[in-house]
Amino acid sequence: MTPADPVDSPLAPEILAHYVVKTPRASEMIEWYRTVLGAKVVHEDKQIAFLTWDEESHRLALVKIPGVMRYLFPLARLRRKVLGVDHLAFTYGSLERLLLNHERLAAHGIEPVWSINHGPTTSLYYEDPDGIRLEFQVENFPTPEETAAYFDSEEFAANPIGVMIDPSYLLERLRNGEPTSALASRQAGVRPGTRARANKRAITFRTL
């Protein structure tokens, strides 16, 4: 078989290996990722720290910059809110694991900055000490084809961002024996007696 011309057949990489962050808060960042992702430090010296939370040798590298930089550039952690990469997304294999992790982190005083059912996913967003936003999500449809069909639906066209949810209420319903299929709809995480709040615009105070 003759290899395809790479100009006509882009060769995408198989996995995303790691990301690197320059930080004046290395100790705080290490502790946060230990708590949130169960990360372990595989190497650390005065210049850099490598962390992993799975089979990869390292998933996150922290390049240590002088702590004074946080005072010289006090608004640097807000850059994400207006320009550049907005967040990284991590997928959980089940709604139960996503919600149990939310409960565990809440016990450590770590709460999501945004909880929303986008439609295709149920997503909880957290921010690390440097303001980097991580999305923890679970797929709401069992197949990519069903997700694609939802993207083409009138419901998604009317509200492409989603509805804000209460993850604690979802966990209550799950513990009461309701099937996860019943908890995947956008309204499932809206606690009775509260008003469903839609996010119809990509740029809002909450999404920033």
Side-chain angles (χ1 to χ4, degrees), residues 4-207:
D5 186 342
V7 174
D8 298 323
S9 303
L11 300 176
E14 281 72 21
I15 61 173
L16 174 65
H18 63 263
Y19 60 106
V20 180
V21 175
K22 296 182 179 75
T23 178
R25 304 176 177 84
S27 295
E28 295 172 55
M29 292 281 277
I30 289 171
E31 188 58 33
W32 194 87
Y33 280 92
R34 276 177 173 158
T35 301
V36 173
L37 294 179
K40 61 180 180 180
V41 177
V42 295
H43 171 80
E44 183 178 13
D45 56 35
K46 293 181 179 180
Q47 300 183 77
I48 198 167
F50 294 103
L51 291 78
T52 190
W53 44 83
D54 57 17
E55 72 286 346
E56 187 71 16
S57 62
H58 63 287
R59 285 296 186 189
L60 169 63
L62 300 174
V63 177
K64 300 178 181 180
I65 61 175
V68 69
M69 298 299 284
R70 71 172 78 181
Y71 304 108
L72 294 178
F73 299 95
L75 301 181
R77 72 189 307 273
L78 302 180
R79 180 181 185 276
R80 179 204 61 78
K81 294 181 177 294
V82 294
L83 185 68
V85 175
D86 183 80
H87 67 274
L88 304 172
F90 297 80
T91 298
Y92 276 81
S94 70
L95 179 63
E96 180 181 20
R97 293 194 69 230
L98 176 73
L99 297 176
L100 288 175
N101 189 60
H102 166 265
E103 183 179 58
R104 180 184 69 85
L105 293 180
H108 288 278
I110 299 174
E111 296 281 357
V113 295
W114 192 30
S115 302
I116 189 166
N117 185 315
H118 286 301
T121 65
T122 296
S123 300
L124 309 180
Y125 292 79
Y126 294 83
E127 288 186 3
D128 72 15
D130 270 348
I132 298 170
R133 186 170 285 197
L134 306 183
E135 175 186 3
F136 294 164
Q137 67 172 34
V138 65
E139 297 286 342
N140 286 334
F141 295 97
T143 67
E145 292 75 17
E146 289 174 87
T147 300
Y150 182 81
F151 278 128
D152 198 36
S153 69
E154 291 184 4
E155 179 181 343
F156 188 76
N159 178 2
I161 306 301
V163 174
M164 292 177 65
I165 59 170
D166 180 346
S168 297
Y169 175 57
L170 280 177
L171 186 56
E172 289 175 21
R173 295 185 63 181
L174 191 63
R175 283 176 168 155
N176 286 334
E178 295 191 51
T180 54
S181 58
L183 304 179
S185 71
R186 282 181 163 179
Q187 304 297 322
V190 180
R191 189 179 290 275
T194 63
R195 182 172 60 88
R197 297 172 60 190
N199 276 228
K200 296 185 179 182
R201 291 182 293 129
I203 303 300
T204 67
F205 175 79
R206 179 69 62 176
T207 62

